[in-house]
Structure formats: structure tokens, C-alpha cells
Amino acid sequence: MKPAPFIRHVPRTLDEALKILSDVAPQDGRVLAGGQSLVPIMAFRLAKPAHLVDINEVEGLDRVASDGNVLSIGACARHAAFHKPVVDNPLGKLLSNVARHIAHYPIRMRGTFCGSLAHADPASEWCLTAATLDATMVAKSTRGERVIAAKDFFAGIMATALAEDELLVEARLPLLAADAKFGFNEFNRRAGDFALAAALVTYRLQDGKIAGARVGVGGAEPRPRRMAQTEAALNGQPPGDKIFRAAAEAASQAIDPLEDHQTNADYRRDLVRAVVRRALETSAQ
Ligand SMILES: Cc1cc2nc3c(=O)[nH]c(=O)nc-3n(C[C@H](O)[C@H](O)[C@H](O)COP(=O)(O)OP(=O)(O)OC[C@H]3O[C@@H](n4cnc5c(N)ncnc54)[C@H](O)[C@@H]3O)c2cc1C
């Protein structure tokens, strides 16, 4: 199928983009970033936006930069920008580790980090990363700027706190401690598919014991989130098989698993137990 007719706007500046978005948003105007989710949806006529605001020509939106505390990721930074570490900090390695699980190479060359956040697929690796690391999202419109915490940003399956006239101009991720450990694991039936469940963990070791644990789970519920019970089970314990299994069990009990055409709730609960344990094992290698 072909998309329904639409008008494509190609602003060159951020102000121009925001002005056009404010004008066309009431007519189901949408932002076009990498197009790797929006275009297929339009081709199937599941979305029929009358206007697309193509942000790819807006200067400076592909910026990825660190100020020593925070990594800022602009709206047009592609998944592929993270194939190699973008910053000399464990966060750089974490992002490159996660990036290679997203779709396939050609999709990673076009799809954007911020587009993934705005699209908010529950199984998105970047959404999981943002939720686990407590990212903040910077949304702009002609009405002004809002900084939205990850826990308030993801509202459900493909739903976010963004208003229809807001552009997600930047996502901000806190850098990790220099000695931070991390692990990521996801399960999908074929390489490149969306995950049926995924887990990301980070922590530090203080006197041989886990401190500041962050455990995020994605793909299992309508939105990714940190698992407080799992983090509590880990903190203060030396890393090892027994505590990793107990923490994974806590995560599997804490989730309210999605049921969909791919699998049922019981299987997803099992998968969460597996991906959390494997992410923890990876972190300790
Ligand atoms: C075969 C296939 C496999 C895939 N596998 C995976 C996978 O394993 N993991 C994964 O995470 N993704 C996967 N994807 C999706 C891919 O990562 C997309 O790139 C991503 O979801 C959306 O990014 P985009 O830049 O392409 O956004 P677009 O498709 O351009 O836009 C997606 C939505 O977000 C909105 N939007 C985009 N950018 C902004 C912004 N800056 N501000 C406000 N709204 C915005 C658009 O209006 C639209 O509604 C897959 C896609 C395909 C086709």
C-alpha cells in the first residue's frame, strides 16, 4: 500500500520547525525524524498525517555532546551514532552495547534515538535505557520549553507526555561513575526483532558490595521502568549467582506482563527472570 496524501515541510531552523509544527499539529501534523517507524505505519495507512514536519535539515539537531556530567543527544542523532562509544565514560560503552540490538544496520543508519523515545514502543532499547538511567527529555514548542523526567515521559504503549505541538529536541543521560558496571540482555526470536523482554542493569561496587543498583525492564509491560524491589535485593550484597537469581526472581514477580499476539503473560514473566539474571551475569564478567 501507499501512504495517504500528505504535505512535507522541510524547515531549516528550529524556530521554523516549531512554528510549522504549531500550525499543522491540529491537522494531525507529525514530526518526521528517521521515518523508520512512521513511514511503515503510513504505508499501511494506520496513520494518515496530513502534514509531516521533516526535521532532518534543521542544523545542529544531530549533536551528541557531553559536558562532563550529562550526555546530550539531539533529535536527529541516529542509532548508528552509538555504534562506537560517543563518550569516554562507561555510558559510551553501555550505549554501543545496546545499540547493536536495535533492528538491522540500515534501520540504525536512519532511525533516531529521540524518535525511538517519542515513538515509545514498549520494547524499544533506547526507551529502556532512558528509563533505567533516569534520563530527562527536553521538549520545545512555540509555547516554550519543558524538561520531562523519564518516569513522567513514558505514558504507555506508544504514548508519551509530549503534546502534539512539542518537538523532542534533546534527551539527556547522566554519565555513569568511572567504575560503574553494566549489563544488558534481551530476548527475541530472530536477531533484529523487537525484544519480548529486555533488561539493563548498572551499579558500582563499594567494599565488594553492590551499591546504587539500577535495574530496568522493557518489553514486558506497556512502558519500561526501574524495578525497585530488584534494586533493593541487590544493594549491599556481594555480586554472585545466588543474589542475581534472587534479584531476577524479584523482577519477575514485580511485573504485570503484557499479553499480545507474540506471547502470553506466563512466558513473559519467565523471560523477565531470564533477561535480568543474564544482564546481571554480564555485568559481573
Ligand atoms: C524492521 C524494523 C525493525 C525494528 N526493530 C527495532 C528494534 O529492535 N528496537 C527498536 O527500538 N526499534 C526498532 N525499530 C524502530 C526504529 O528503531 C525506529 O527508528 C524508531 O522507533 C523511531 O525512530 P525514527 O527516527 O525512525 O522516528 P520516525 O519514524 O520518524 O517517528 C516515529 C514517531 O515519533 C515521532 N517523532 C520522531 N521524532 C520526534 C521528535 N524529535 N519529537 C517529537 N516527535 C517525534 C514521529 O512523529 C512519529 O510519530 C524497527 C523498525 C523496523 C522498520
Side-chain angles (χ1 to χ4, degrees), residues 31 33-38 79 103 107 111-112 115-116 118 124-125 168 194:
V31 174
Q36 298 304 299
S37 294
L38 184 55
H79 306 318
I107 293 165
T112 64
S116 287
S124 153
E125 288 84 356
L168 176 59
F194 278 98

Side-chain angles (χ1 to χ4, degrees), residues 69-71 89 91 130 133-136 172-177 214:
N69 294 309
V70 166
L71 183 71
N89 175 270
L91 179 64
L133 302 184
D134 284 324
T136 49
R172 294 176 183 159
L173 296 176
L175 296 193
L176 300 178
R214 289 172 177 270

Side-chain angles (χ1 to χ4, degrees), residues 21 29-41 52 55 75-76 78-79 101-104 107 110-121 123-127 162 166-170 186 188 192-195:
L21 189 56
R30 302 266 193 105
V31 174
L32 176 70
Q36 298 304 299
S37 294
L38 184 55
V39 171
I41 292 169
L52 291 184
I55 57 172
C76 287
R78 316 276 170 197
H79 306 318
H101 293 273
I102 302 171
H104 308 278
I107 293 165
R110 287 299 302 170
T112 64
F113 188 103
C114 288
S116 287
L117 303 187
H119 189 59
D121 189 298
S124 153
E125 288 84 356
W126 290 145
C127 294
L162 287 174
E166 281 182 318
L167 180 67
L168 176 59
V169 290
E170 185 175 295
E186 74 173 39
N188 46 23
D193 282 0
F194 278 98

Side-chain angles (χ1 to χ4, degrees), residues 55-96:
I55 57 172
N56 287 277
E57 300 297 321
V58 176
E59 204 175 329
L61 282 187
D62 58 351
R63 181 173 166 269
V64 178
S66 161
D67 67 0
N69 294 309
V70 166
L71 183 71
S72 300
I73 301 169
C76 287
R78 316 276 170 197
H79 306 318
F82 302 93
H83 280 163
K84 291 184 182 161
V86 289
V87 61
D88 184 18
N89 175 270
L91 179 64
K93 284 192 188 139
L94 183 157
L95 295 174
S96 61

